[in-house]
Amino acid sequence: VNNTTSKKTNTTTSSGGGTNQQYSQADLEGIDAIEFFAEQVSHHPPASAIYARHKDLIELKGIYHPHSKLVSLNCAASLAEGSFDVVFPKLHTAAGGRRYNITWPSFFASGIVSGNPRMEIGGTVTITDTHTGIQAKVEFLRKGWLSGEYDQMECVVLSPEGKNIHGKKYHGTWFGTIYQSDVNTKGGTVGSKQVFHDPVAAAPGAARPQAVPTAGHPKQSRGIWRELTRCLRDENQAGASEAKHLVESTQRQERKELAAAGREAVPVFFKFHGEGEPPTHSSTGGNEGVGEGHHDESEAAVKAFKHASDADKYKVSAWEFMGTSSLLLK
């Protein structure tokens, strides 16, 4: 979709120190476009809720919870919990559309003490057809100490019983050319590999869409971190430290004021309902209550999140998108 649209806008907001980011490629004038909302809905534990849509073509809902781990003295990781659902409403099924649940990969930063610093994707991602139970299992492979290559992946497509449906393995560079190879009964590849997907050949001349400002919010992420970003680009370490301290001290003061008033920081675009009944608000409706921030119902939802089990907190179905893209035009 990004390659076929020509307009992209960016708005970010914050609730109680958390950040909320929304990218929109439309100004609601019928332009063929996709909209994406992401809001930090919890500070401790860190969690972000996500919603995206493109008319009747695609809809995405998700929850992302990262937690850090020191893998070694020279490598740290951000391990992901949660998942997201991708729905294609026009791919008709008995349930009304095709839905896939996708888990998140993890991210690794190596070379933090010695060697060349590098970011890698690692871990297992599953893509599950929720109607049939068929699952693609994607392994993001990190480079070994003495062997291997960076940015490699392998994938097999499994039946609900765990059998390789196609008898093939898909492998290659995750952002580049993907090959397919036949596999034997032990899972090893046999024969020669064939090109399965070449992104350059599939979309020749495709360019990354450019983000441009939209109607501002007082706490746009880009605005909040603009000075820090500038200092980092200028290699001004002292200025970057000062900018970071200013942002964090301001956010701490906001949370302190909320605590003193006995209030909770309430997300703007999302609401947690856990195992209970989802709110009656529809994401295609108005924006009733969005931005008010501190009414009793929303604060009760925040408290419910804090006391919920981890298994419940990070279910896609536990979160409801409460906003509309018209919010950005105000």
Side-chain angles (χ1 to χ4, degrees):
V1 175
N2 285 345
N3 292 330
T4 61
T5 55
S6 60
K7 187 171 184 178
K8 185 169 186 177
T9 57
N10 172 288
T11 296
T12 59
T13 61
S14 174
S15 178
T19 57
N20 168 310
Q21 191 164 21
Q22 187 257 351
Y23 297 88
S24 172
Q25 291 171 285
D27 56 6
L28 305 182
E29 298 297 332
I31 295 176
D32 184 26
I34 190 169
E35 297 170 303
F36 176 77
F37 296 77
E39 179 174 13
Q40 184 178 343
V41 294
S42 174
H43 186 68
H44 292 296
S48 295
I50 298 166
Y51 179 83
R53 64 181 170 213
H54 182 287
K55 298 180 182 178
D56 295 326
L57 178 63
I58 188 172
E59 183 180 45
L60 182 151
K61 298 179 180 180
I63 182 73
Y64 177 69
H65 167 51
H67 52 98
S68 59
K69 179 181 179 180
L70 186 63
V71 180
S72 69
L73 293 178
N74 203 39
C75 179
S78 177
L79 307 179
E81 190 174 349
S83 64
F84 59 98
D85 285 350
V86 178
V87 180
F88 297 92
K90 290 188 176 180
L91 297 180
H92 296 295
T93 67
R98 183 69 66 185
R99 180 185 300 270
Y100 298 91
N101 178 260
I102 306 174
T103 60
W104 301 100
S106 295
F107 298 88
F108 296 80
S110 56
I112 55 179
V113 176
S114 62
N116 296 322
R118 187 181 181 93
M119 292 288 293
E120 291 183 272
I121 295 179
T124 302
V125 168
T126 59
I127 305 172
T128 305
D129 184 332
T130 60
H131 304 290
T132 66
I134 294 174
Q135 183 180 93
K137 184 178 180 181
V138 184
E139 297 281 353
F140 288 94
L141 307 175
R142 297 181 59 221
K143 184 182 182 303
W145 180 253
L146 297 175
S147 62
E149 300 178 55
Y150 287 111
D151 304 320
Q152 298 301 294
M153 58 75 67
E154 294 181 351
C155 173
V156 292
V157 180
L158 306 174
S159 69
E161 296 74 31
K163 296 182 179 180
N164 189 323
I165 294 177
H166 302 136
K168 295 183 182 296
K169 178 182 288 185
Y170 305 91
H171 53 96
T173 304
W174 62 261
F175 57 83
T177 302
I178 305 298
Y179 301 91
Q180 64 179 21
S181 300
D182 294 330
V183 297
N184 56 30
T185 56
K186 296 183 179 181
T189 59
V190 294
S192 59
K193 63 182 181 182
Q194 298 178 330
V195 174
F196 175 73
H197 176 67
D198 181 346
V200 176
R208 182 184 297 273
Q210 298 297 312
V212 296
T214 184
H217 186 281
K219 294 183 179 179
Q220 292 188 23
S221 292
R222 287 193 172 200
I224 288 175
W225 299 107
R226 182 176 291 113
E227 182 63 18
L228 172 63
T229 303
R230 185 186 65 79
C231 290
L232 290 175
R233 288 175 174 170
D234 293 342
E235 299 184 1
N236 180 356
Q237 183 175 351
S241 297
E242 182 179 350
K244 181 174 182 291
H245 173 74
L246 178 61
V247 170
E248 293 177 338
S249 60
T250 300
Q251 292 178 341
R252 290 190 190 99
Q253 180 62 30
E254 291 175 352
R255 291 195 293 271
K256 183 178 179 180
E257 292 174 358
L258 283 173
R263 293 156 53 187
E264 297 281 354
V266 176
V268 176
F269 291 113
F270 296 89
K271 183 177 179 181
F272 177 79
H273 57 76
E275 296 179 344
E277 292 295 322
T280 56
H281 177 94
S282 170
S283 61
T284 58
N287 60 331
E288 297 85 351
V290 176
E292 295 176 4
H294 302 293
H295 52 77
D296 293 341
E297 184 181 355
S298 294
E299 292 200 4
V302 172
K303 293 177 180 178
F305 169 79
K306 291 183 176 180
H307 292 91
S309 67
D310 285 352
D312 192 28
K313 286 178 180 177
Y314 309 122
K315 288 180 180 177
V316 175
S317 59
W319 291 91
E320 187 76 4
F321 177 63
M322 300 294 290
T324 68
S325 51
S326 61
L327 291 169
L328 300 182
L329 300 184
K330 295 187 174 183

